[in-house]
């Protein structure tokens, strides 16, 4: 699938070097089709890393996707240069009059805070409410999924005894759901979080359908309203070295952090980690784009 992005976005050259089909604005306007409009609300501190990871995930269907990056106005990003944000991102105020085929709301490293104490909580709530009327399907990741369950369904979160950190084995609960079509019986997905949503409350909520879970990591995936809302509690978009970089960062901060589980060969951090989740990640994003966005969205947004 060609992803249509701005010509000067730094991720463009990296994706092209990985043999991923990327289309700039000039080539896109010559195609007589309506591209899918996907908005990414990027709440992660290092925006460029998350941009690259998500664009990889969206790059494997025959559909053209026009990607728009959204930023939060009520929070100042300290880890991404303001020139990058000003050049490639727009704010909700400018985008809220538009409709989108799909919206991705990323996680954020703010799990220790109660939702209401997050400095941009009010703005995020406004965006999540807007998404119900203006987006065909919204895909929430990690803290973004926890926040959405709390906002939409009043389901809280709890702190874990220690960080859930590593690559975990998962099983499919309902194989007939299109979102997990083509998945193996057992598959691996990275997790990196200190909190978890209330699983009992998820199971009791009649609008939420659990699709995949792990004995060690708990619920990985659920959906509501036939896929209008998707909640993902792991990180299928992670690169090979994302967990490694987080581990090195936390060690450097002097934090009490265990080695990521099922990640380094022989638990030796000097050895290159095995990439065990990429094929399922690609399949996952392709299923979402095809069955929950493309097949459901109206031609005239």
């Amino acid at each position: 699938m060609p992803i249509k992005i701005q010509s000067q976005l730094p991720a463009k050259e990296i994706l092209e070097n990985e043999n991923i089909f990327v289309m700039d604005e000039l080539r896109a306007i010559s195609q007589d089709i309506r591209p899918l409009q996907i908005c990414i609300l990027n709440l992660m501190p290092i925006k460029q890393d998350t941009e690259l990871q998500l664009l990889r995930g969206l790059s494997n269907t025959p559909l053209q996707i026009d990607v728009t990056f959204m930023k939060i106005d009520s929070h100042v990003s300290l880890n991404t240069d303001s020139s990058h944000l000003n050049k490639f991102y727009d704010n909700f105020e400018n985008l809220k009059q538009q409709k989108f085929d799909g919206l991705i709301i990323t996680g954020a490293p703010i799990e220790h805070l109660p939702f209401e104490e997050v400095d941009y909580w009010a703005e995020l709530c406004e965006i999540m409410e807007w998404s119900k009327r203006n987006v065909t399907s919204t895909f929430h990741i990690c803290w973004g999924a926890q926040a959405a369950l709390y906002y939409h369904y009043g389901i809280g979160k709890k702190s874990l005894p220690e960080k859930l950190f590593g690559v975990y084995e998962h099983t499919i609960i309902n194989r007939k759901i299109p979102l997990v079509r083509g998945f193996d019986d057992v598959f691996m997905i990275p997790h990196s979080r200190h909190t978890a949503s209330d699983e009992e409350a998820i199971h009791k909520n009649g609008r939420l359908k659990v699709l995949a879970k792990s004995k060690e990591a708990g619920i990985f995936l659920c959906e509501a309203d036939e896929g209008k809302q998707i909640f993902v509690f792991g990180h299928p978009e992670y690169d090979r070295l994302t967990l490694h970089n987080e581990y090195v960062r936390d060690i450097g901060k002097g934090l009490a952090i265990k080695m990521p589980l099922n990640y380094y060969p022989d638990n030796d951090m000097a050895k290159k980690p095995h990439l065990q989740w990429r094929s399922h990640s690609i399949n996952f994003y392709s299923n979402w784009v095809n069955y929950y966005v493309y097949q459901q969205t109206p031609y005239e947004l």
Side-chain angles (χ1 to χ4, degrees):
M1 163 189 63
I3 305 174
K4 180 191 165 205
I5 55 178
Q6 292 128 306
S7 302
Q8 294 179 316
L9 187 74
K12 181 175 182 287
E13 182 178 356
I14 299 173
L15 293 168
E16 288 175 333
N17 288 336
E18 294 177 4
N19 200 29
I20 291 175
F21 187 9
V22 178
M23 182 182 296
D24 63 22
E25 300 98 328
L26 293 177
R27 182 170 180 183
I29 61 176
S30 67
Q31 295 199 331
D32 188 22
I33 60 174
R34 182 180 85 73
L36 295 176
Q37 301 293 325
I38 303 291
C39 182
I40 298 176
L41 175 57
N42 190 351
L43 303 174
M44 291 297 284
I46 304 177
K47 309 297 185 190
Q48 295 95 323
D49 289 353
T50 305
E51 292 162 9
L52 185 58
Q53 292 167 6
L54 291 175
L55 291 174
R56 279 199 192 102
L58 294 170
S59 67
N60 282 274
T61 81
L63 305 167
Q64 182 180 319
I65 292 180
D66 190 346
V67 176
T68 299
F69 290 105
M70 185 193 295
K71 63 181 177 180
I72 288 286
D73 265 349
S74 46
H75 176 79
V76 177
S77 178
L78 301 178
N79 296 281
T80 299
D81 192 275
S82 60
S83 63
H84 182 87
L85 293 172
N86 293 334
K87 188 172 186 178
F88 299 113
Y89 282 70
D90 211 337
N91 57 23
F92 178 58
E93 187 64 27
N94 291 334
L95 295 174
K96 65 182 182 181
Q97 301 304 321
Q98 299 183 34
K99 293 184 181 295
F100 289 90
D101 300 301
L103 169 67
I104 297 175
I105 300 178
T106 73
I110 48 176
E111 299 169 276
H112 60 289
L113 293 174
F115 293 116
E116 291 85 356
E117 292 184 16
V118 174
D119 59 2
Y120 53 81
W121 178 246
E123 185 177 359
L124 179 59
C125 288
E126 186 181 359
I127 293 170
M128 290 190 290
E129 184 63 29
W130 165 86
S131 74
K132 294 192 293 186
R133 300 181 302 275
N134 295 278
V135 179
T136 300
S137 178
T138 302
F139 190 102
H140 311 82
I141 302 174
C142 201
W143 182 86
Q146 295 178 4
L149 285 178
Y150 181 69
Y151 175 74
H152 292 297
Y153 304 102
I155 295 176
K157 64 177 180 176
K158 63 179 180 180
S159 296
L160 299 174
E162 61 183 18
K163 185 177 183 179
L164 186 70
F165 192 43
V167 185
Y168 296 85
E169 185 177 281
H170 299 73
T171 55
I172 299 296
I173 303 299
N174 193 331
R175 180 167 293 284
K176 294 183 180 180
I177 302 299
L179 194 58
V180 293
R181 188 167 289 167
F183 273 50
D184 294 331
D185 291 336
V186 177
F187 61 98
M188 308 296 285
I189 293 290
H191 287 258
S192 177
R193 50 188 166 88
H194 294 276
T195 58
S197 292
D198 185 337
E199 293 199 6
E200 184 178 357
I202 292 174
H203 283 292
K204 286 182 176 179
N205 191 298
R207 292 180 62 187
L208 296 170
K209 185 180 297 182
V210 176
L211 305 183
K213 65 185 302 182
S214 163
K215 288 182 179 179
E216 298 82 12
I219 293 174
F220 162 63
L221 176 64
C222 63
E223 69 172 27
D225 299 335
E226 302 301 318
K228 185 168 179 60
Q229 295 173 332
I230 308 291
F231 307 93
V232 183
F233 299 98
H235 286 283
E237 79 281 0
Y238 268 10
D239 294 336
R240 182 194 303 271
L241 295 179
T242 305
L243 292 178
H244 171 79
N245 293 335
E246 290 185 10
Y247 185 45
V248 171
R249 177 201 64 197
D250 288 352
I251 291 175
K253 291 181 177 179
L255 301 178
I257 180 70
K258 290 185 177 179
M259 179 177 287
L261 189 68
N262 303 321
Y263 184 56
Y264 296 114
D266 304 318
N267 285 328
D268 182 353
M269 67 178 295
K271 294 183 177 180
K272 185 178 182 179
H274 292 150
L275 188 55
Q276 309 171 64
W277 59 91
R278 177 60 59 80
S279 60
H280 278 87
S281 174
I282 290 172
N283 191 22
F284 187 33
Y285 280 97
S286 295
N287 285 346
W288 176 63
V289 169
N290 184 18
Y291 300 116
Y292 293 81
V293 179
Y294 174 67
Q295 302 287 351
Q296 302 297 327
T297 197
Y299 184 81
E300 296 292 341
L301 272 175

